[in-house]
Amino acid sequence: MSVKEIFETMDYGPAPESAAEALAWLVDQGDRFGHFINGAFTKPGDGFESRNPATGEVLATLSQASQTDVDAAVDAARKAQPKWEGLGGAGRARYLYAVARLLQKHSRLFAVLESMDNGKPIRESRDIDIPLAQRHFYYHAGMAQLMESELPDAEALGVCGQIIPWNFPLLMLAWKIAPALAMGNTVVLKPAEYTSLTALLFADICIQAGLPKGVVNIVTGDGAVGEMIVGADVDKIAFTGSTSVGRRIREATAGSGKELTLELGGKSAYIVFDDADIDSAIEGLVDAIWFNQGQVCCAGSRLLVQEGIADRFHTKLRARMDGLRIGNPLDKCIDVGAVVDPVQLQTIKAMVESNTAGELYQAACDMPENGCYFPPTLITGLETSDPLMQEEIFGPVLVSSTFRTPGEAVELANNTRYGLAATVWTENVNLALDIAPKLVAGVVWVNATNLFDAAAGFGGVRESGFGREGGWEGLSAYTKSKGKTKPLAKVEAIAGEGAPVDPIDRTAKMYVGGKQARPDSGYSKPIYGKSGLLGHVGLANRKDVRNAVEAAAGAKGWAKATGHLRAQILYFIGENLSARADEFAHRIDAMTGKTTGAKEVETSIQRLFTAAAWADKYDGQVHGVPIRGVALAMKEPTGVIGALCADEAPLLGLVSVMAPAIAMGNRVVLAASEPYPLAATDFYQILETSDVPAGVVNILTGSHAELAKPLASHLNVDAVWSFSSSDVSAEIEKAAAGNLKRTWVNNATATDWSVDHSRKFLQAATEIKNIWVPYGE
Ligand code: NAI
């Protein structure tokens, strides 16, 4: 066909990219790979084949790492870490910059290899995966450069174990390795078993960049190797993959003190209002669900379209689907490539076949005869309860439902256990910006979809995991505060027996939903001081936890109160505490047998004032991202936070947790100091007189060991913190795996409450939602 004829018919002509260079590189490596440990490739061991999913051809043989390999990699990383951190930010920045340059230099080789290994169209690997991976290293070279000046209190965690999936092999590697190295950590990374080749090519880049030995180590293998890394002597695990494996890792690391970030699955809503630019919204959908064959954690896989335009929208969408070209990933004209592996293809097929609801439409496009291909698919007319509206398919399958009002759209969008991303299409900016804060998701795109950049943190809420990758917020996952930790011994109450100092029975109640509440158990315990019995407190049980969480969950309005109002109330609490300072100081001294009460009260008042000061100042950011728009990094409250308060500082421990949490719009369920609970039960009298709305602060008394599990396993609790001296960290983290709630536990290390940790608390009390909006040309 002549060029003129092609122009006339507008037919596609195949434009295949050559595989020669990538194949030559594989041959150069001997087609068999060992692991990359301590700066060199090990001898290939027993292993498995890595295939091209488009053709079934074997590309290389990879080694399955043994425990000895994993240990050697961790050992190399451990040895290399102090020197790497010691280079300083500017020193590390040079290496990261060199890596970015080399990725750029070899970008076509990476793109071709990625498409051959994963099956994604070359247009995507060439224009999205590889450039974004480069950008991540450039961006984090900058972060390394700025670390000392901008994060003066931060230091590296140490050795990070990183486990990544197969959908964006090099990009996920970049998301993990770049920030870790920038902050002075060393890494042991395991690529997914289906797609390890670009990680091994990256190892080659590390050699070319002269990266010091042991800073990056790459071991290959399946989930068993992942488990070995999780169990190894590492300081952090960073995981991206399925929610079920994420949950297992949460359980396995519980109580180990290992930091953990999880970037898991999603079922992200794609909401189209009736005033949307329909053609753009349809092109957006092509990117949302057929990009990377739908194997995208944040894929817009759940279409919600406003009823009035639904028929027209679906008709146009089907026509667009018919125009998609599916086939050879190396062909530059291809829209949809191959699914990563026959196993994944089978999973997709089985899920689609199991569905009997709605109406199924599959694109009338030419399907390749062989290879792992699945046609672009649309299932319309589903109800929100249908399994395919809830389950992540991770394939090119779009499910669709309709809504009538914006309120209904929000309700349907949020009706999922996930919370990774959401997309909103409307020409009405008021509507878009009204909806964006109501969507429970870590990322919201307005009139665009699947936009990523190193400057805008990515990550989810709910069962989509926790932690952010990218941006300033991503760095906290790879740093800790400077300073040594001290162990925390169990704090015991003063033992005693006998009659009350005061003849009137004083059994302090608990504080739930703005009211004083008797414990459901009907049991109480005596609290003694040096001078004798001081009073009794109730012993809360599971039911009291439930009531307190219900009260907290009901006080939703607090999240919407202005920062100014929250500040006013916090100041008022401080003022009222100040008026009764002596009484509180005596109470603390009486319970603890010490004379530190006055100081503790004074510091508590300061803490309240500090939180009040922050309430209207802990702002988000606007990220300049390299697209026609900006990303608004909004700080949203985490939700309902359950906390076991410090035993040793009965008032200050409680106030230090409560004040920043409520300053940010959270509601709290606080378990008072176990040995010295009376400061907390006195404190709610202050709350009662300070205009704190009912349910915003709830206070329970009793045994931390008994309250830990019900709090951590309650599905309406979004985060659990523990500063208790009881040994409950492991139990909390294990129970929190259920709905993957955020945890912050002390693992038996002491917190110096005299130091103001407000910033840490503010950070833990907020989730960043990045809202991408069009802006400028
Ligand atoms: P997966 O979660 O099993 O695999 C991801 C990574 O974790 C791989 O490197 C794997 O080797 C490793 N891994 C597996 N079991 C492990 C364990 N027990 N401990 C530590 N590491 C372990 O995902 P898989 O099986 O490849 O895909 C299954 C489903 O997971 C997909 O259909 C999709 O729904 C979801 N998925 C979600 C991803 C996301 O980005 N959200 C990415 C990949 C898969």
Side-chain angles (χ1 to χ4, degrees):
M1 199 184 273
S2 71
V3 172
K4 183 167 179 289
E5 282 166 334
I6 291 173
F7 267 115
E8 275 164 5
T9 60
M10 289 304 280
D11 269 356
Y12 283 105
E17 180 77 28
S18 166
E21 294 254 345
L23 291 171
W25 181 77
L26 291 169
V27 171
D28 276 356
Q29 313 301 311
D31 291 333
R32 292 180 72 83
F33 288 87
H35 313 289
F36 182 64
I37 297 175
N38 205 26
F41 282 99
T42 62
K43 231 172 93 216
D46 286 347
F48 55 99
E49 288 170 338
S50 185
R51 289 173 187 270
N52 178 342
T55 60
E57 107 196 75
V58 175
L59 295 170
T61 307
L62 306 174
S63 302
Q64 167 82 4
S66 63
Q67 187 66 54
T68 314
D69 296 323
V70 171
D71 291 346
V74 172
D75 200 38
R78 182 68 67 198
K79 290 210 173 89
Q81 197 272 329
K83 217 168 161 193
W84 176 245
E85 187 171 14
L87 277 180
R92 295 192 301 274
R94 293 177 78 92
Y95 285 105
L96 288 166
Y97 180 71
V99 168
R101 296 283 293 171
L102 285 163
L103 284 176
Q104 203 163 17
K105 183 168 154 189
H106 296 291
S107 59
R108 196 52 71 96
L109 175 59
F110 270 105
V112 173
L113 191 62
E114 195 77 299
S115 281
M116 288 167 66
D117 200 16
N118 165 281
K120 63 175 68 205
I122 183 78
R123 261 186 10 206
E124 293 178 9
S125 51
R126 184 195 61 194
D127 299 344
I128 298 170
D129 294 57
I130 312 303
L132 280 175
Q134 292 158 16
R135 163 107 178 109
H136 228 74
F137 277 97
Y138 279 124
Y139 180 86
H140 284 96
M143 285 302 199
Q145 187 78 25
L146 297 177
M147 184 178 179
E148 278 99 19
S149 65
E150 301 307 305
L151 304 166
D153 297 329
E155 64 180 11
L157 292 171
V159 176
C160 303
Q162 308 184 314
I163 301 163
I164 58 172
W166 39 258
N167 50 350
F168 294 92
L170 186 75
L171 184 55
M172 289 301 106
L173 173 149
W175 280 21
K176 297 277 181 286
I177 291 185
L181 264 47
M183 297 292 107
N185 303 278
T186 53
V187 305
V188 176
L189 176 133
K190 188 194 88 62
E193 50 272 43
Y194 301 147
T195 54
S196 304
L197 296 181
T198 48
L200 295 165
L201 177 55
F202 179 82
D204 207 357
I205 295 291
C206 293
I207 297 172
Q208 290 180 43
L211 200 69
K213 288 176 181 170
V215 170
V216 168
N217 302 275
I218 295 171
V219 290
T220 53
D222 60 14
V225 181
E227 275 181 56
M228 289 177 205
I229 295 176
V230 170
D233 172 29
V234 293
D235 303 294
K236 177 202 167 81
I237 293 291
F239 172 78
T240 298
S242 61
T243 295
S244 57
V245 172
R247 192 172 280 128
R248 292 233 294 276
I249 294 177
R250 167 72 292 179
E251 284 170 358
T253 55
S256 66
K258 289 175 193 166
E259 293 290 328
L260 178 65
T261 44
L262 299 175
E263 203 267 278
L264 309 174
K267 190 77 184 177
S268 299
Y270 189 100
I271 308 170
V272 185
F273 286 99
D274 58 9
D275 68 345
D277 172 346
I278 292 187
D279 291 324
S280 300
I282 285 179
E283 279 319 299
L285 260 181
V286 173
D287 283 340
I289 186 66
W290 293 302
F291 166 53
N292 202 18
Q293 297 67 251
Q295 303 164 130
V296 183
C297 49
C298 54
S301 53
R302 216 161 30 107
L303 171 64
L304 301 173
V305 53
Q306 200 155 13
E307 210 172 72
I309 57 162
D311 285 345
R312 191 152 62 93
F313 191 87
H314 287 139
T315 305
K316 276 193 165 224
L317 179 57
R318 289 188 194 101
R320 180 67 184 91
M321 287 166 70
D322 293 346
L324 292 171
R325 280 180 81 84
I326 181 164
N328 177 11
L330 285 187
D331 183 344
K332 295 186 218 49
C333 298
I334 283 299
D335 299 306
V336 181
V339 166
V340 72
D341 187 87
V343 172
Q344 185 64 12
L345 181 64
Q346 198 41 48
T347 308
I348 299 167
K349 272 188 183 156
M351 287 185 87
V352 172
E353 279 164 16
S354 71
N355 172 62
T356 50
E359 198 182 317
L360 177 104
Y361 183 79
Q362 293 193 308
C365 48
D366 291 338
M367 289 293 292
E369 278 170 19
N370 300 308
C372 271
Y373 292 97
F374 194 85
T377 300
L378 167 70
I379 307 176
T380 49
L382 291 184
E383 301 288 335
T384 186
S385 56
D386 287 322
L388 290 196
M389 283 294 275
Q390 294 295 333
E391 298 303 323
E392 184 178 44
I393 301 173
F394 229 63
V397 183
L398 177 66
V399 296
S400 168
S401 190
T402 60
F403 67 89
R404 288 185 187 158
T405 62
E408 200 188 346
V410 170
E411 214 168 281
L412 289 172
N414 291 342
N415 189 341
T416 164
R417 60 197 170 101
Y418 296 112
L420 195 47
T423 303
V424 181
W425 287 83
T426 169
E427 290 297 288
N428 179 350
V429 67
N430 297 319
L431 179 60
L433 296 182
D434 176 51
I435 297 289
K438 295 178 182 159
L439 295 169
V440 184
V443 187
V444 176
W445 293 291
V446 174
N447 291 335
T449 202
N450 272 343
L451 302 176
F452 310 99
D453 184 57
F458 181 89
V461 295
R462 291 184 175 166
E463 293 188 34
S464 292
F466 41 78
R468 295 288 179 270
E469 298 194 284
W472 290 98
E473 58 266 36
L475 299 180
S476 62
Y478 285 101
T479 52
K480 61 178 194 284
S481 303
K482 283 182 179 161
K484 290 218 174 331
T485 53
K486 282 197 207 129
L488 175 65
K490 175 100 173 98
V491 182
E492 301 291 354
I494 292 177
E497 54 186 338
V501 183
D502 181 341
I504 303 168
D505 172 45
R506 294 193 189 275
T507 303
K509 298 198 185 66
M510 298 184 291
Y511 186 60
V512 174
K515 293 199 189 88
Q516 300 192 16
R518 283 181 213 289
D520 170 79
S521 68
Y523 287 105
S524 58
K525 71 167 183 179
I527 303 298
Y528 290 96
K530 281 244 156 69
S531 54
L533 186 68
L534 301 174
H536 286 81
V537 289
L539 291 176
N541 66 11
R542 175 176 288 275
K543 238 174 163 180
D544 297 303
V545 168
R546 196 192 61 194
N547 293 342
V549 172
E550 223 166 81
K556 276 199 185 79
W558 184 247
K560 293 199 193 114
T562 61
H564 174 69
L565 177 73
R566 295 199 291 251
Q568 295 298 300
I569 290 177
L570 281 157
Y571 279 125
F572 199 13
I573 301 173
E575 204 182 295
N576 286 330
L577 179 60
S578 174
R580 290 172 60 181
D582 290 347
E583 181 196 326
F584 271 85
H586 286 136
R587 183 66 125 175
I588 294 168
D589 290 346
M591 281 189 297
T592 60
K594 297 181 186 156
T595 53
T596 50
K599 181 104 191 61
E600 184 170 341
V601 176
E602 180 48 35
T603 316
S604 301
I605 296 166
Q606 287 305 326
R607 218 44 50 92
L608 285 159
F609 277 37
T610 303
W614 274 120
D616 54 2
K617 296 174 193 67
Y618 193 65
D619 295 326
Q621 285 183 313
V622 181
H623 297 301
V625 282
I627 57 142
R628 189 187 56 91
V630 290
L632 310 175
M634 304 297 291
K635 287 178 173 156
E636 295 189 341
T638 301
V640 174
I641 299 174
L644 305 182
C645 299
D647 289 320
E648 67 278 18
L651 180 68
L652 181 57
L654 180 131
V655 166
S656 300
V657 167
M658 180 203 79
I662 68 170
M664 293 297 101
N666 299 281
R667 290 87 75 201
V668 292
V669 175
L670 306 172
S673 161
E674 186 176 326
Y676 316 130
L678 296 175
T681 53
D682 293 347
F683 186 69
Y684 64 65
Q685 296 163 10
I686 303 269
L687 298 176
E688 278 173 335
T689 54
S690 306
D691 294 343
V692 180
V696 171
V697 179
N698 304 276
I699 297 176
L700 304 176
T701 49
S703 150
H704 286 177
E706 270 177 39
L707 296 176
K709 199 165 171 201
L711 258 185
S713 51
H714 197 298
L715 293 182
N716 283 342
V717 173
D718 300 290
V720 185
W721 301 347
S722 174
F723 305 98
S724 174
S725 68
S726 297
D727 181 16
V728 289
S729 297
E731 194 175 13
I732 287 178
E733 292 194 321
K734 207 165 255 173
N739 65 344
L740 288 160
K741 55 176 66 74
R742 284 103 190 88
T743 57
W744 180 11
V745 295
N746 62 2
N747 286 305
T749 58
T751 305
D752 182 354
W753 295 103
S754 67
V755 175
D756 186 354
H757 302 288
S758 292
R759 266 190 177 273
K760 258 173 116 173
F761 278 92
L762 294 167
Q763 195 187 351
T766 46
E767 291 279 349
I768 293 195
K769 176 191 269 181
N770 270 294
I771 303 170
W772 296 63
V773 292
Y775 185 79
E777 284 188 21

